Amino acid sequence: MNTTDKLDDRIMHRSISNETSFYLWWILIGIFSSFLITELISPALSRIYCKSYESISRKQYLEWNASYSDFLSNVGMCISCGYMIYDSLTMIMYLKGASLWTYIIHHSIVIWGSSAFLSNEIGKYYAYLKYLTELSTPFINLRWFLRTCGYSSHHKYVAIATSLFAVTFILTRNICAVPFWYLVSYNIHHHTSEAQRIFLIDAFKIYFILGIILDILNLFWGAIICSMLWQSIKVLKNSQCVESE
């Protein structure tokens, strides 16, 4: 490896570190914001505007304060819907063919499903579990930035970003789909009466359909991503061989 390559690697390593630090800071901000809302802001406002707040039990106290966070989570879901709508409209300008339609289907499912969750106020817990699949998104974004900066798909940093993306995608979107559906089925059939079960199955019908379509779409993408992962592993193996020479 020549001096220029080593310098580029140092610069890119610093860039990746900065990118990782950026996301970690936002995670910490999220934790701190949740603490601030549930432990300071909510109690302060509640004591001012609701005199009965002081007389509630500890359990009710926790639920009361957490309801503010629930409101913010709903706002977050609304923002997600807005982003999906905007992205669906703009991607028409830079995508075409199968890529365009798969993204349109994905975004439509998210918009429809999130809107249904917000309207019905039922099962949002499962929606939040599905949102965990976005853990792979920072890595695909990182890969895009690296490629846009001029690094080829055979560069080790691109290969690392691709591998991280592929592993998190396959884990969260493909493998975790199995325990997710098991959890849904278990909760419906083991924690409800017959009447509640019938109601939930009927209410969740649209969610079942959308969720299954989403999982099928993720399997389609997963097959492509497995190929990307395999290519990235080969690139990393080759780079190790070159460095050892």
Side-chain angles (χ1 to χ4, degrees), residues 86-98:
Y86 171 79
D87 200 41
S88 298
L89 294 173
T90 56
M91 69 172 56
I92 297 172
M93 296 184 290
Y94 56 85
L95 286 178
K96 60 182 179 180

Side-chain angles (χ1 to χ4, degrees), residues 10-11 32 52 67 83 111 117 131 143 147 150 152 154 174 181 186 207 216 221 231 233 238 243:
R10 290 196 195 100
I11 294 171
F32 177 73
S52 60
S67 65
Y83 167 75
I111 294 165
F117 278 120
Y131 276 131
R143 183 183 187 277
R147 298 285 284 117
S152 74
H154 298 292
N174 298 145
W181 286 112
Y186 182 84
Y207 304 140
I216 292 172
W221 280 332
Q231 294 299 322
I233 291 172
N238 291 336
E243 289 177 358

Side-chain angles (χ1 to χ4, degrees), residues 30-137:
I31 295 171
F32 177 73
S33 299
S34 298
F35 167 79
L36 200 65
I37 292 167
T38 57
E39 300 299 330
L40 298 177
I41 296 176
S42 172
L45 292 177
S46 299
R47 287 188 179 96
I48 294 171
Y49 295 105
C50 186
K51 301 302 180 184
S52 60
Y53 177 77
E54 297 288 355
S55 62
I56 62 177
S57 66
R58 175 64 181 171
K59 181 176 182 295
Q60 291 173 324
Y61 172 84
L62 293 172
E63 291 177 353
W64 181 300
N65 294 336
S67 65
Y68 282 84
S69 296
D70 187 57
F71 168 75
L72 290 178
S73 68
N74 288 347
V75 172
M77 195 174 285
C78 291
I79 292 172
S80 176
C81 283
Y83 167 75
M84 290 294 178
I85 293 170
Y86 171 79
D87 200 41
S88 298
L89 294 173
T90 56
M91 69 172 56
I92 297 172
M93 296 184 290
Y94 56 85
L95 286 178
K96 60 182 179 180
S99 296
L100 173 62
W101 287 109
T102 52
Y103 279 114
I104 290 292
I105 292 170
H106 172 269
H107 285 21
S108 299
I109 290 171
V110 174
I111 294 165
W112 191 359
S114 297
S115 301
F117 278 120
L118 289 167
S119 300
N120 299 330
E121 291 289 331
I122 296 175
K124 284 191 291 184
Y125 167 76
Y126 301 106
Y128 300 144
L129 286 179
K130 276 295 184 183
Y131 276 131
L132 290 176
T133 59
E134 295 301 327
L135 288 172
S136 62
T137 302

Side-chain angles (χ1 to χ4, degrees), residues 9 12 18 21 43 57 81 83 104 113 115 120 129 133 168 172 174-175 189 194 201 219 221-222 230 232 235-236:
D9 283 348
M12 190 52 58
N18 291 338
S21 299
S57 66
C81 283
Y83 167 75
I104 290 292
S115 301
N120 299 330
L129 286 179
T133 59
T168 52
T172 59
N174 298 145
I175 296 175
H189 290 90
E194 183 63 28
I201 290 174
L219 284 173
W221 280 332
W230 178 244
S232 297
V235 169
L236 292 173

Side-chain angles (χ1 to χ4, degrees), residues 170-189:
I170 294 167
L171 180 63
T172 59
R173 297 185 185 235
N174 298 145
I175 296 175
C176 286
V178 176
F180 171 82
W181 286 112
Y182 172 79
L183 179 65
V184 172
S185 176
Y186 182 84
N187 286 339
I188 288 178
H189 290 90

